[in-house]
Amino acid sequence: MAGLKPNYYQDRVALNVLANSVENAEACYKAAEGHVVLGVLTKNYPTDEAAIADMKPYQQAIDNAVSVDLGAGDPNQSSMVTRVAAAIQPQHVNQVFTGVGASRTALGQGDTVINGLVSPTGHVGTVNIATGPLSSQQAAAEVPVATAIALLKDMGGTSIKYFPMKGLAHEAEFRAVAEACADNDFDLEPTGGISLDNFEEILQIAVAAGVRRIIPHVYSSIIDKATGDTRPEDVAKLYEIVKKVLANA
């Protein structure tokens, strides 16, 4: 079941949203016409075994369009993500920068998308790669974006997870990251503070830069606070925006 389906990206773009249940995952998958991965947070499970058992029905229901997630970028979930991903072989894995190599090795194949989390620094053209369990407790490790991409490639990563973006608060930095991803043939996953209000502009920046594949993460802004479900109708709206942006590119 590992690997990417031919229609995983709709001409370069797939959504990443959270799933609160198998039923919610199915509804969101349908709303995006299959161009989405559904995030399941390892942080929500007390053990590997519980996470693995719970994620397998998701795999069956949505053609393995499962994203094994940390949970708010929590570096302490890095090892659990690696172990769970190795067991279920999902289509997508969220990792901190220092966990990418371990996850790729544990997966034993090159099809699954693995992102590596890097953070804004306040300086255009650089990112912070100290996002691991220990490194995140130290001073930022600020490197040029192209260097971060090369390191991720060395470790078997396929995309930069740029987090926390805080919407467009780091717009100039995000533009530089998008350009570096395009220049170095690398995927980009903008994450943090993305909503229906700013999604189109964020996606347009990445598409205009020439990024080959983009996976925007849209989480809390489209979750129903009463039920905890991601709203399928909002996923459908996001997917319509994807089609609009790509049609005008």
Side-chain angles (χ1 to χ4, degrees):
M1 295 177 69
L4 305 180
K5 298 186 304 157
N7 71 340
Y8 177 83
Y9 292 97
Q10 166 64 33
D11 296 331
R12 296 166 63 184
V13 180
L15 300 170
N16 188 318
V17 303
L18 293 178
N20 191 42
S21 66
V22 173
E23 293 74 22
N24 188 216
E26 287 181 302
C28 292
Y29 185 75
K30 182 177 180 180
E33 299 176 23
H35 304 291
V36 64
V37 284
L38 284 302
V40 184
L41 307 180
T42 57
K43 196 170 184 176
N44 289 344
Y45 298 95
T47 64
D48 294 3
E49 292 74 20
I52 292 164
D54 206 44
M55 290 185 195
K56 286 183 176 179
Y58 283 87
Q59 291 182 290
Q60 295 298 325
I62 54 175
D63 201 13
N64 198 28
V66 171
S67 174
V68 178
D69 282 10
L70 297 157
D74 186 350
N76 294 315
Q77 293 300 118
S78 179
S79 293
M80 185 175 181
V81 163
T82 290
R83 295 190 302 268
V84 170
I88 74 165
Q89 296 287 313
Q91 286 190 7
H92 186 273
V93 171
N94 281 276
Q95 256 301 2
V96 294
F97 189 89
T98 56
V100 170
S103 285
R104 178 61 73 197
T105 299
L107 283 163
Q109 41 83 4
D111 292 330
T112 295
V113 170
I114 306 177
N115 66 37
L117 193 161
V118 302
S119 300
T121 61
H123 303 122
V124 174
T126 69
V127 291
N128 173 30
I129 63 172
T131 61
L134 297 177
S135 57
S136 62
Q137 305 303 311
Q138 304 299 317
E142 190 171 333
V143 304
V145 183
T147 301
I149 291 171
L151 288 164
L152 285 168
K153 286 183 176 181
D154 283 346
M155 295 186 289
T158 47
S159 55
I160 272 186
K161 179 178 180 178
Y162 194 53
F163 173 84
M165 281 181 54
K166 300 179 181 177
L168 286 160
H170 298 278
E171 181 179 349
E173 289 178 76
F174 176 60
R175 288 182 181 275
V177 169
E179 289 168 5
C181 286
D183 291 344
N184 292 279
D185 195 27
F186 208 59
D187 298 354
L188 176 58
E189 305 192 27
T191 316
I194 303 178
S195 67
L196 284 165
D197 295 328
N198 59 27
F199 176 78
E200 183 170 349
E201 186 173 356
I202 288 168
L203 181 59
Q204 281 179 330
I205 289 170
V207 169
V211 181
R212 66 175 185 178
R213 296 191 299 194
I214 308 151
I215 309 179
H217 295 225
V218 189
Y219 285 177
S220 58
S221 67
I222 60 170
I223 290 176
D224 186 311
K225 290 179 175 58
T227 65
D229 286 350
T230 292
R231 293 185 289 268
E233 61 271 25
D234 285 350
V235 175
K237 291 174 185 175
L238 291 169
Y239 184 54
E240 288 304 312
I241 294 171
V242 169
K243 290 190 284 187
K244 172 187 171 184
V245 169
L246 292 175
N248 293 329

